[in-house]
Amino acid sequence: MPITIRHFESAVSRVLSSAHFINTHSQDVFVPQDGVKRAASQILRRMQSLGYSTADWKKHTLTPSIADAHAVEWIFLVDALNFSFWCDQPPSRQYSVTLDGKTYRGYWTLCAAVNRALAEGIPITDARYYAVASDEELARVFRGDEGTEPMPMLRERIMVLREVGGVLVEKHGGRFANLLARCGGSASGLVDLVAAEFACFRDEHEFQGRPVAMFKRAQILVADIWACFEGKGLGRFEDIDSVTMFADYRVPQALCHFGALEYSPRLWEHLRESEKTLKQLGEAKSPGLLPSGHPWEVEIRGNSIWAVECIKRCMEEEGTHVNAILIDFYLWDYSKEHSEEMKEIPIHLTRSINY
Ligand SMILES: Nc1nc2c(c(CN[C@H]3C=C[C@H](O)[C@@H]3O)cn2[C@@H]2O[C@H](COP(=O)(O)O)[C@@H](O)[C@H]2O)c(=O)[nH]1
């Protein structure tokens, strides 16, 4: 049997080559270059008017306000669990977490629950705790407001905590900072290390017979550290601009809104119908959910990554350098601040620990 010498390609460059392959082989999702051009000018103008930068990361109420060793463990814990917050219940019943008088939904429920646990004296960001804490203790950490659904995919989240906590305790002295110290200031190297050490971060699929990679949570983990430290100290990465957009279910909405992403009529119809069914019948019976790895899911995620790369290149051509991370963060924040407008654009809903 010939030994195949697998040419080692870093995870981040595999994401970019996957996005290009998906874009050139998609049947239902497109990145129209005229839309990209318009989107790039609009987004650039808005980001410049806001002075949007890494400093915006710490401005959020719930993200760590001090860039220190604890912030690194906080970011690792949150990005290990940073997936699938949507639920099919009516808004009044949707999982929510109220902290300091403010009620949070979606991604921010995770941050609120973590900060609440810390305020209650629970060392939730310490791998030596969450690797072995009981299911009941962890369910209590992530408990929702009275009368709301439990946290979506709580069982999967507890399994993720056991996995990543166990690896950190057994191999890295219980701290993600020790793994971070081994990446030699390379973002791509850190993504490789995270994908090698933790199975739950390996966001890889097959598309038309070819392996494709997205590594959404591994990349946003690196990006959050970079942003929190504003590119300095523990957050200094020489190759940070190689990191791509994070293929979630929110930014595609914003990309469609700005005209940089388009769906075929049949895909648009399917997503619209599945959202309606989801609301009427509830998730259990809804035919509409896209199973993880479905071609349409891969097309939406891969083309979202490609669209942001094209927007980035358009901005370069206009003489401004903005990396994919900041474009992504801006679009995600935009989608949350304009949720009413976003309602016009259906999202692809998948039960997945990848995003
Ligand atoms: N592409 C991308 N996806 C992101 C984020 C974030 C949080 N980042 C914020 C924190 C600091 C930064 O400044 C950002 O403002 C969460 N998500 C994903 O969204 C989904 C949750 O949506 P909803 O259910 O509506 O809350 C889910 O897949 C989650 O994994 C991002 O930045 N980019």
Side-chain angles (χ1 to χ4, degrees):
M1 169 72 94
I3 302 170
T4 49
I5 308 287
R6 188 166 176 279
H7 162 63
F8 178 74
E9 191 186 2
S10 74
V12 175
S13 58
R14 281 179 56 209
V15 173
L16 205 47
S17 54
S18 298
H20 183 246
F21 175 79
I22 293 164
N23 173 256
T24 49
H25 292 75
S26 286
Q27 284 142 19
D28 290 281
V29 185
F30 315 101
V31 177
Q33 289 311 307
D34 54 343
V36 163
K37 264 183 120 40
R38 279 196 304 277
S41 334
Q42 278 188 56
I43 294 164
L44 181 57
R45 226 182 6 264
R46 290 161 184 258
M47 289 179 80
Q48 287 172 331
S49 65
L50 290 171
Y52 197 84
S53 74
T54 50
D56 287 274
W57 193 92
K58 283 198 285 292
K59 286 179 190 158
H60 291 287
T61 314
L62 298 174
T63 47
S65 51
I66 300 168
D68 59 11
H70 177 259
V72 169
E73 304 308 316
W74 187 98
I75 290 169
F76 176 74
L77 169 74
V78 165
D79 281 329
L81 300 176
N82 186 0
F83 56 82
S84 202
F85 299 97
W86 58 271
C87 70
D88 53 286
Q89 299 299 321
S92 59
R93 287 191 47 73
Q94 279 180 11
Y95 174 68
S96 64
V97 174
T98 297
L99 183 66
D100 303 333
K102 190 163 186 303
T103 297
Y104 297 93
R105 284 197 171 74
Y107 162 80
W108 294 116
T109 56
L110 170 59
C111 303
V114 167
N115 292 356
R116 177 180 59 189
L118 292 169
E120 291 170 349
I122 299 166
I124 186 61
T125 53
D126 186 334
R128 291 165 301 182
Y129 170 79
Y130 60 75
V132 296
S134 69
D135 290 8
E136 293 70 28
E137 283 174 304
L138 294 174
R140 179 168 158 63
V141 165
F142 296 109
R143 67 190 185 278
D145 294 333
E146 200 63 36
T148 65
E149 289 292 293
M151 183 179 215
M153 297 184 79
L154 179 59
R155 195 171 52 80
E156 291 81 354
R157 293 183 209 273
I158 290 175
M159 284 163 60
V160 162
L161 288 178
R162 299 251 187 283
E163 180 207 331
V164 300
V167 169
L168 283 185
V169 168
E170 278 141 44
K171 295 177 68 180
H172 303 289
R175 292 157 46 79
F176 179 71
N178 293 334
L179 198 56
L180 173 59
R182 286 176 44 195
C183 78
S186 163
S188 169
L190 185 54
V191 173
D192 286 341
L193 268 175
V194 168
E197 290 297 288
F198 309 106
C200 67
F201 277 89
R202 289 176 208 145
D203 181 3
E204 301 171 290
H205 305 277
E206 190 177 288
F207 181 70
Q208 296 185 9
R210 183 192 185 277
V212 289
M214 315 273 182
F215 290 120
K216 181 254 176 189
R217 289 197 290 108
Q219 291 196 96
I220 201 170
L221 167 58
V222 177
D224 280 342
I225 294 171
W226 171 72
C228 177
F229 286 79
E230 298 188 55
K232 298 188 283 294
L234 293 175
R236 181 180 167 73
F237 299 104
E238 296 308 321
D239 57 344
I240 194 64
D241 291 350
S242 64
V243 171
T244 73
M245 170 265 182
F246 320 114
D248 72 319
Y249 54 83
R250 279 290 162 225
V251 174
Q253 256 184 333
L255 287 167
C256 284
H257 170 78
F258 280 105
L261 196 66
E262 269 175 12
Y263 298 159
S264 67
R266 66 176 182 171
L267 173 54
W268 189 268
E269 190 48 36
H270 173 84
L271 294 177
R272 173 76 72 214
E273 276 313 302
S274 71
E275 268 192 342
K276 221 187 290 175
T277 320
L278 206 58
K279 287 190 178 54
Q280 286 155 7
L281 299 181
E283 166 217 349
K285 296 182 229 80
S286 157
L289 284 181
L290 286 179
S292 181
H294 185 286
W296 277 349
E297 182 212 28
V298 176
E299 286 196 21
I300 292 170
R301 298 185 77 205
N303 280 288
S304 297
I305 294 168
W306 190 247
V308 171
E309 285 304 309
C310 294
I311 286 171
K312 182 174 95 170
R313 292 174 193 178
C314 266
M315 290 179 176
E316 297 277 1
E317 281 157 23
E318 288 192 27
T320 310
H321 174 73
V322 185
N323 70 20
I325 297 172
L326 281 181
I327 296 170
D328 174 285
F329 281 171
Y330 172 79
L331 287 170
W332 193 86
D333 290 344
Y334 181 93
S335 71
K336 302 295 279 181
E337 285 149 21
H338 298 78
S339 49
E340 278 314 302
E341 288 167 74
M342 294 300 132
K343 284 204 174 105
E344 293 312 305
I345 299 158
I347 51 177
H348 62 292
L349 294 174
T350 300
R351 278 274 173 257
S352 162
I353 70 164
N354 288 317
Y355 62 99

